[in-house]
Amino acid sequence: MTEQQVFFEDVAVGEQIPALTVTVDETQLFFFSAATYNGHRIHYDKQWAHGEGYDDVLVQGPLQAALLARAIGDWIGGRGRLVSFSVQNRAVAHPGESLRFGGVITGTHLTDGGAGLVDLDIAGRRADTVLMPGTATVQLPRRGAPS
């Protein structure tokens, strides 16, 4: 597959970035907990999660944030750069649910040095429920500028 590079001149306010759709499973939750040294049993022990009042184990907020950052990274391509990223965890997600990560362009501007910056409203969602709203700014390459 050929990677497409998005350029600053090709984006406009109101455009959606391509969404990343993921269904997290319990194995992924376990390995993410291990990789991040997160020993909270609510992410891998169903009985514990039930005792805490949940129907199932929970998808970690940092995993959701990483998937949201991945959606942005996939869109900006190899020459793009994530400048800022801020999210809030607002709702729970469970394994087996289809989660969608993406955003919309809310602003574009050039820096004094000519760099092309793009502001985004971003979110992780389960159907129509916003799990993780946030904002991000990316720098995209300019057409004709050196790599």
Side-chain angles (χ1 to χ4, degrees), residues 11-19 75 100 102-105 120-121 125:
V11 302
V13 171
E15 288 180 359
Q16 298 279 330
I17 70 169
W75 173 64
R100 190 176 73 252
V104 62
I105 298 170
L120 303 165
D121 277 348
R125 300 174 188 275

Side-chain angles (χ1 to χ4, degrees), residues 16 29 34 36 50 89 96 99 108-109 114 117 134:
Q16 298 279 330
L29 295 181
T36 58
H50 289 157
N89 196 5
L99 307 178
T108 61
H109 47 93
L117 298 180

Side-chain angles (χ1 to χ4, degrees), residues 24-50 52 54 56-60 63 93-95:
V24 177
D25 64 24
E26 291 178 36
T27 302
Q28 187 175 8
L29 295 181
F30 177 81
F31 282 122
F32 190 83
S33 284
T36 58
Y37 299 101
N38 180 350
H40 197 315
R41 291 169 63 177
I42 206 163
H43 300 300
Y44 61 86
D45 184 331
K46 281 187 184 195
Q47 189 173 6
W48 185 274
H50 289 157
E52 294 287 322
Y54 295 102
D56 200 347
V57 293
L58 305 180
V59 177
Q60 299 94 333
L63 176 55
H94 299 286

Side-chain angles (χ1 to χ4, degrees), residues 74 79 83:
D74 288 351
R79 291 180 54 202
V83 175

